[in-house]
């Protein structure tokens, strides 16, 4: 799996948009970008994923650059409950059990302040 | 989304004893599950891949005789920490594949005294 680089921490005001960047300059053409988050003392929670088009769901939006070397996760209206460590992971398509062996980096600790 | 449940959520044991942690897929069948370990302020580290009906596959550096994994049914994988020591104190998390995506359990915090 390609490696990713994320800032160790970020702060965001409640109600504002939180933009979390991720660099994945060595991503392969068939690898997806996945985002998970982990609230303190809980298991990771899936947020969103994409290949090359921008994606949006009820939790967040994912913006992937045209060269696919970086992406940004956007939480449009951050709340205090969004305080968590956010992990950006790249992995190959679902073509075998080994492709589900996620490699977690250190992620970004997002702190949403009142 | 699919639900993966772990039990117990917290366990405290004495050094030298064995502890079993269960991981269940509540509304789907999982032929493959994964076990992770997370030390304080560190990221998740994959320990092993649990395969229903066959032996688990361990990552490099993980002692298979210490961390026994059993995946006897399509909805249950168990991790047994044998002869636990204080350095085994950690947050253990399982995950399972459903409809092409990974879902994680709530985690089990083990404290070895």
């Amino acid at each position: 799996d390609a490696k990713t680089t994320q800032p160790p921490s970020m702060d965001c005001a409640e109600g504002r948009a939180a933009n979390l960047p991720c660099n994945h300059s060595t991503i392969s053409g068939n690898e997806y970008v996945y985002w998970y988050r982990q609230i303190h003392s809980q298991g990771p929670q899936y947020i969103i994923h994409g290949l090359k088009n921008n994606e949006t769901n009820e939790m967040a939006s994912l913006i992937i650059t045209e060269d696919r070397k970086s992406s940004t996760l956007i939480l449009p209206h951050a709340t205090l409950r969004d305080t968590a460590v956010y992990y950006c992971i790249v992995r190959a398509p679902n073509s075998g059990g080994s492709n589900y062996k996620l490699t977690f980096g250190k992620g970004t600790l997002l702190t949403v302040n009142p | 989304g699919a639900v993966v449940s772990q039990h117990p959520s917290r366990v405290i044991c004495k050094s030298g004893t064995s502890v079993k942690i269960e991981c269940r897929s509540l509304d789907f069948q999982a032929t493959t599950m994964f076990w992770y370990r997370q030390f304080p302020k560190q990221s998740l580290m994959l320990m092993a891949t649990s395969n229903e009906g066959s032996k688990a596959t361990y990552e490099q550096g993980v002692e298979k005789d210490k961390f026994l994994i059993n995946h006897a049914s399509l909805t249950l994988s168990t991790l047994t920490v044998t002869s636990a020591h204080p350095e085994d104190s950690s947050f253990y998390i399982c995950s399972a594949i459903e409809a092409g995506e990974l879902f994680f359990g709530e985690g089990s915090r083990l404290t070895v005294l």
Side-chain angles (χ1 to χ4, degrees), chain A residues 5-75:
Chain A
T5 304
Q6 299 176 253
S9 64
M10 292 183 65
D11 283 275
C12 176
E14 188 178 19
R16 295 294 188 101
N19 299 292
L20 292 90
C22 178
N23 287 323
H24 31 79
S25 58
T26 59
I27 191 171
S28 299
N30 66 340
E31 287 183 317
Y32 286 74
V33 180
Y34 276 76
W35 284 83
Y36 289 83
R37 74 178 182 184
Q38 186 179 24
I39 295 171
H40 183 63
S41 292
Q42 296 183 24
Q45 176 189 22
Y46 165 82
I47 300 173
I48 198 168
H49 75 281
L51 183 63
K52 54 182 179 181
N53 296 322
N54 298 336
E55 302 287 345
T56 296
N57 63 20
E58 63 278 6
M59 290 183 68
S61 294
L62 175 60
I63 309 298
I64 302 174
T65 58
E66 192 169 342
D67 62 7
R68 302 208 326 121
K69 292 185 177 182
S70 65
S71 61
T72 301
L73 178 74
I74 301 173
L75 307 179

Side-chain angles (χ1 to χ4, degrees), chain A residues 34 38 43 94 100-101 104-105, chain B residues 36 38 43 59 100-102 105:
Chain A
Y34 276 76
Q38 186 179 24
N94 308 328
Y100 293 94
K101 292 170 61 175
F104 285 82
Chain B
Y36 290 83
Q38 185 176 33
S43 192
E59 295 301 302
E101 298 303 336
L102 268 174

Side-chain angles (χ1 to χ4, degrees), chain B residues 87-109:
Chain B
E87 56 264 33
D88 297 324
S89 297
S90 189
F91 193 50
Y92 293 87
I93 306 168
C94 70
S95 66
I97 303 168
E98 163 64 359
E101 298 303 336
L102 268 174
F103 295 90
F104 289 83
E106 317 95 318
S108 299
R109 186 166 300 283

